[in-house]
Amino acid sequence: MDFSGLNKKASDSFHKQRNMLKQLAQGKTLECEKCNGVLTLDLATSEPGKGIVKCEHGCTDIILELGT
């Protein structure tokens, strides 16, 4: 079996999300790919060690596990 295509897709997705988080952490404004709503980064959630990236319509909803 050749997993190179799957590995490439997973790697591209990881790098895309990493770059998105870097830009949000720098205060840049990014838009959701589906609804073009503004993405927000919230690191002060009710759960310790968790953060969230989301859009106002709920298309994008990424839970982050923050290292301590």
Side-chain angles (χ1 to χ4, degrees):
M1 267 188 153
D2 183 14
F3 288 103
S4 60
L6 180 61
N7 290 340
K8 172 87 170 110
K9 187 175 179 180
S11 175
D12 289 347
S13 177
F14 170 79
H15 290 292
K16 183 178 175 184
Q17 287 188 8
R18 183 187 66 183
N19 289 334
M20 176 185 62
L21 290 172
K22 280 184 182 180
Q23 291 176 350
L24 288 171
Q26 292 171 353
K28 295 184 180 176
T29 301
L30 298 178
E31 295 180 349
C32 174
E33 292 179 351
K34 296 196 185 233
C35 71
N36 293 327
V38 175
L39 292 176
T40 58
L41 172 64
D42 182 9
L43 299 177
T45 62
S46 59
E47 290 186 57
K50 301 274 182 171
I52 190 167
V53 174
K54 62 182 177 180
C55 74
E56 41 195 50
H57 300 287
C59 309
T60 300
D61 190 17
I62 303 170
I63 305 291
L64 308 169
E65 290 189 28
L66 307 173
T68 55

